[in-house]
Amino acid sequence: MQKGHILKSLRSLRAMVIHPPDNQGQELLAQLVRIGCKTETLWPAPKQFFDDVDLVFLEVSETVLRMAPSSLADSGMDRPTLVALTGYENPSVLQGLLDLQPDSVITKPLRPYGVLTSVVMARRIWLERKRLQARVAKLNVKIQNQQTLNRAKVVLMKLYNISEEEAYRRIRQQAMSKRATTVDIARSIIHAADILGDARSKNGGQ
Amino acid sequence: MANVKTRKAPWKVGVLFSQSGLTAIVERVQLNGVMLAIEELNERGGILGREIVPVLYDPASKAGRYEFLSERLLGSDGVNVIFGCYMSSSRKEVLPVVERRNGLLFYPTLYEGFEYSANVIYGGAVPNQNSVPLASFIFGNYGNRLYLVGSDYIYPRESNRVMRHIVRQAQGEVVGEEYLPLDASKKMMEKIVSDIKSRRPDAIFSTVVGDGTVKLYQAYKDAGLDPRSMPIASLTTSEAEVMSMGPEVAEGHITAAPYFNTLETPASTAFVGRYQRKFGGEGREVTGCCEAAYFQTHMFAQALKRAGTQDTETLRKALLGAEFDAPQGTVRIDPDNSHTYLHTRIAKVDREGRFVIEREVANAIKPDPYLVYPALNDWRLGLRRATLEDSQHTAFNE
């Protein structure tokens, strides 16, 4: 996601303000309207979280944190961008921030200045985290596939007394003729070896 | 103390415009706008029987002076309202002071947007109100290859970001982008102009401010360039700069502003006439920023009359959503963002150094200070030929 895109998309963001309807909440709401986000407010905090929101502002105090929707507490890939609002800097509130892992923080008393900067920074961090999470997931799959292939190669090498290159060549050949991926073939080989191994150890059992 | 009660105490207001230094050329006229309005109000008996008394300081276009003097105004002078500031840097100095002391700053100057303070009433245009109309006029009449030149501070940088985006929408091209220090020398100007000459844009978009403006237009003239085929289009070159560069240098160049002193409506003519009587001359140095300073002072007075107090909260309530028949036409303070609905006009300098208004938008444009990318095809910003009959300007009266 490009840096310019964050600024361009500001006006298409659907924002949700989870904050009591006091002066601070009103001030934030008015500033978000100026910035041009589509903004809704909600109080008290809902148990469940909606998936049609891009940006959530949530007051974090020791009591509010306990009420935070469970879907927010998990910084997984589906969580919207989260901006925490804090009025205190004491350790229990700070611990709350560490637990919640918001993408940005606005300290109260809130001033209109800085809200836009916080939103932009939060979006940047959120997009970056999303990108990294997707990358990590992809790398995980890659590593697992590599392990599967390696195990399959070892099976073939032992079985036919062939080199690693030859083992890989056979797996690939199978994959091409069966129109499957090398990983699928590798899995079948491991699976078959397991069954044969079980059978052999039972047959030759003392 | 007993004396004060028998003779009603005046309403004191602070006025903070530079009367010397690099931006005095513009700020002096803004100061006059405020002083003219105050005189008119006092001639009519003041507000609720109390005279308005300005407390004037000259920050001399110097960094640091605006903060110091606004502190003095709100602190020791006991003032609650300040009219002042031209450059964004000066507004940024005054801002923390009015916020901390909960005063009100009336800022009668165009600026780059992306600001909101409950302690400021913004009276000048933000980019959505003037950049798009100016660009569409240039594209329609000259072409879409632009050369951008500005003074090196936030307003030109941000204006050019907006302009680059508008040019892209028109599938045009930015063929050059240069920034100059505020006190740029003649030599620097000549260098830029020779670069312009070699790159041959369809027009030059200038946000050079202050004394540099005169030097730039002079260098353009000296290089033998022709405004009929490659004009300088500006948001900041006003009547004051044109007067100081002379008509032979300014002729043919273009400016977009909410107001020009050549606007021939009863309200505008009366305004210029009164300015003339007070300050002498022909009133030809009256600018859009002067008009903004003038109508903001009247809007303050109108609100003060309703509020009966200079208390910031009460005044602000009376100001937000208020309308006023300004010389430019009816203006209104947008309650959403404390900026002002303004008219937009495009004018070309004639042989006598007067701005001839060529186009205008039909209705005052809502300010949108947080708009990142103004759209070139926004029909609300469509221009029409400027004709007197169509305008619905109400004459200003008491």
Side-chain angles (χ1 to χ4, degrees):
Chain A
M1 205 62 83
Q2 298 306 304
K3 280 179 278 168
H5 184 81
I6 293 178
L7 296 180
K8 213 170 218 172
S9 65
L10 281 172
R11 295 221 154 163
S12 57
L13 292 182
R14 294 154 303 176
M16 171 72 77
V17 175
I18 303 176
H19 192 282
D22 56 12
N23 279 344
Q24 295 284 296
Q26 299 291 350
E27 187 86 82
L28 176 60
L29 187 65
Q31 183 65 8
L32 288 172
V33 169
R34 276 174 216 119
I35 291 169
C37 299
K38 295 172 191 67
T39 310
E40 289 176 66
T41 55
L42 206 55
W43 190 257
K47 288 258 177 300
Q48 198 62 43
F49 218 72
F50 325 103
D51 45 8
D52 56 351
V53 167
D54 303 305
L55 182 61
V56 172
F57 293 84
L58 176 70
E59 185 183 53
V60 175
S61 67
E62 57 299 337
T63 51
V64 173
L65 188 61
R66 252 181 272 128
M67 294 152 57
S70 51
S71 52
L72 273 187
D74 161 27
S75 64
M77 284 179 67
D78 299 330
R79 193 182 81 171
T81 307
L82 182 61
V83 179
L85 301 158
T86 60
Y88 296 90
E89 275 188 319
N90 57 45
S92 36
V93 168
L94 293 178
Q95 188 58 51
L97 286 180
L98 292 174
D99 293 345
L100 193 63
Q101 298 179 49
D103 301 299
S104 182
V105 178
I106 296 176
T107 51
K108 301 200 292 181
L110 177 144
R111 297 168 70 230
Y113 270 171
V115 170
L116 179 56
T117 307
S118 286
V119 168
V120 169
M121 283 298 106
R123 288 297 285 173
R124 192 195 72 76
I125 289 166
W126 182 82
L127 285 166
E128 180 70 9
R129 203 188 51 226
K130 230 178 137 161
R131 193 180 67 79
L132 289 177
Q133 279 170 339
R135 184 125 185 263
V136 165
K138 216 170 161 185
L139 287 175
N140 265 339
V141 170
K142 214 170 174 182
I143 289 172
Q144 276 166 12
N145 289 348
Q146 198 59 53
Q147 276 174 344
T148 309
L149 264 175
N150 283 343
R151 280 175 57 201
K153 277 192 285 186
V154 168
V155 168
L156 293 185
M157 285 158 73
K158 274 188 184 160
L159 198 59
Y160 300 108
N161 198 20
I162 51 176
S163 70
E164 188 185 347
E165 286 78 18
E166 177 58 19
Y168 183 66
R169 200 188 59 77
R170 289 191 189 179
I171 294 173
R172 253 194 53 188
Q173 211 168 35
Q174 282 295 314
M176 287 200 298
S177 66
K178 297 218 158 56
R179 291 173 189 275
T181 66
T182 49
V183 176
D184 286 339
I185 299 297
R187 264 194 219 108
S188 308
I189 292 170
I190 295 164
H191 190 61
D194 277 353
I195 292 168
L196 290 174
D198 278 2
R200 198 173 294 167
S201 63
K202 266 175 199 156
N203 281 349
Q206 319 298 297
Chain B
M1 276 295 140
N3 260 351
V4 183
K5 279 197 174 166
T6 50
R7 244 195 87 242
K8 278 190 179 171
W11 306 103
K12 280 204 287 184
V13 297
V15 185
L16 208 51
F17 291 109
S18 290
Q19 294 154 63
S20 53
L22 290 169
T23 51
I25 185 172
V26 209
E27 295 192 49
R28 211 179 284 137
V29 197
Q30 288 179 299
L31 168 68
N32 287 351
V34 173
M35 297 309 285
L36 175 62
I38 290 178
E39 188 182 270
E40 288 173 8
L41 290 160
N42 286 340
E43 274 171 6
R44 282 180 231 143
I47 301 301
L48 305 172
R50 294 165 65 179
E51 204 186 2
I52 298 176
V53 173
V55 184
L56 307 179
Y57 290 120
D58 175 14
S61 312
K62 283 193 187 116
R65 292 294 290 168
Y66 288 87
E67 182 188 358
F68 175 77
L69 292 170
S70 58
E71 186 69 55
R72 182 193 280 180
L73 282 167
L74 296 179
S76 33
D77 292 329
V79 154
N80 200 37
V81 166
I82 297 176
F83 297 91
C85 300
Y86 176 72
M87 277 177 58
S88 287
S89 50
S90 62
R91 185 188 70 257
K92 290 282 186 202
E93 280 185 33
V94 175
L95 210 54
V97 180
V98 288
E99 290 196 336
R100 183 158 26 84
R101 294 189 173 272
N102 198 20
L104 262 186
L105 171 69
F106 285 84
Y107 179 56
T109 310
L110 67 163
Y111 87 110
E112 63 282 355
F114 293 92
E115 189 179 287
Y116 165 80
S117 167
N119 298 89
V120 182
I121 302 290
Y122 303 81
V126 287
N128 85 293
Q129 295 171 300
N130 56 14
S131 293
V132 167
L134 178 62
S136 60
F137 180 78
I138 294 296
F139 297 163
N141 292 279
Y142 299 93
N144 56 17
R145 295 176 69 251
L146 296 191
Y147 191 105
L148 316 181
V149 56
S151 298
D152 199 359
Y153 74 109
I154 184 70
Y155 179 70
R157 294 257 176 198
E158 180 64 18
S159 296
N160 285 343
R161 182 193 65 78
V162 169
M163 196 50 84
R164 276 198 305 274
H165 178 72
I166 297 173
V167 169
R168 219 174 299 139
Q169 288 177 68
Q171 275 146 20
E173 190 189 349
V174 172
V175 299
E177 180 168 347
E178 292 294 331
Y179 295 91
L180 293 155
L182 280 168
D183 57 353
S185 64
K186 197 173 162 225
K187 207 164 197 166
M188 289 165 130
M189 293 295 177
E190 285 165 359
K191 213 177 135 211
I192 296 239
V193 169
S194 85
D195 189 41
I196 289 171
K197 210 169 172 176
S198 68
R199 288 175 196 267
R200 311 194 140 274
D202 295 325
I204 300 144
F205 176 58
S206 165
T207 40
V208 170
V209 303
D211 291 352
T213 313
V214 181
K215 288 186 197 148
L216 174 70
Y217 284 63
Q218 185 66 55
Y220 175 102
K221 168 94 179 159
D222 293 346
L225 294 170
D226 186 358
R228 278 172 303 186
S229 58
M230 191 207 293
I232 304 177
S234 175
L235 302 170
T236 47
T237 303
S238 69
E239 290 89 339
E241 286 86 354
V242 166
M243 267 185 83
S244 120
M245 67 181 78
E248 64 289 346
V249 174
E251 186 188 353
H253 294 301
I254 290 156
T255 296
Y259 176 79
F260 292 97
N261 65 29
T262 44
L263 179 64
E264 287 188 359
T265 60
S268 169
T269 323
F271 165 60
V272 177
R274 284 192 298 269
Y275 185 98
Q276 240 172 333
R277 279 192 291 282
K278 183 164 170 62
F279 300 105
E282 296 172 63
R284 285 178 66 171
E285 77 270 26
V286 172
T287 65
C289 286
C290 166
E291 189 253 4
Y294 173 83
F295 81 67
Q296 281 207 304
T297 310
H298 273 292
M299 291 192 88
F300 156 74
Q302 185 180 275
L304 181 61
K305 200 168 172 181
R306 275 178 55 198
T309 164
Q310 287 221 62
D311 165 67
T312 302
E313 314 310 325
T314 324
L315 260 186
R316 188 191 300 125
K317 252 181 222 144
L319 282 161
L320 295 183
E323 284 189 12
F324 184 74
D325 289 328
Q328 65 173 274
T330 304
V331 296
R332 172 170 187 260
I333 298 174
D334 190 340
D336 294 345
N337 53 37
S338 298
H339 288 62
T340 308
Y341 281 77
L342 296 171
H343 299 258
T344 294
R345 299 183 166 91
I346 316 286
K348 194 192 278 179
V349 181
D350 72 4
R351 187 161 300 205
E352 266 92 55
R354 292 175 180 277
F355 278 106
V356 178
I357 301 171
E358 304 232 334
R359 296 284 192 284
E360 61 184 13
V361 292
N363 298 302
I365 302 170
K366 179 179 164 71
D368 192 353
Y370 285 90
L371 183 59
V372 178
Y373 294 113
L376 184 58
N377 57 5
D378 186 339
W379 58 266
R380 288 168 301 179
L381 304 177
L383 293 165
R384 64 175 186 192
R385 269 176 204 290
T387 49
L388 188 55
E389 303 82 67
D390 288 357
S391 341
Q392 299 179 349
H393 301 289
T394 326
F396 169 65
N397 53 42
E398 35 285 318

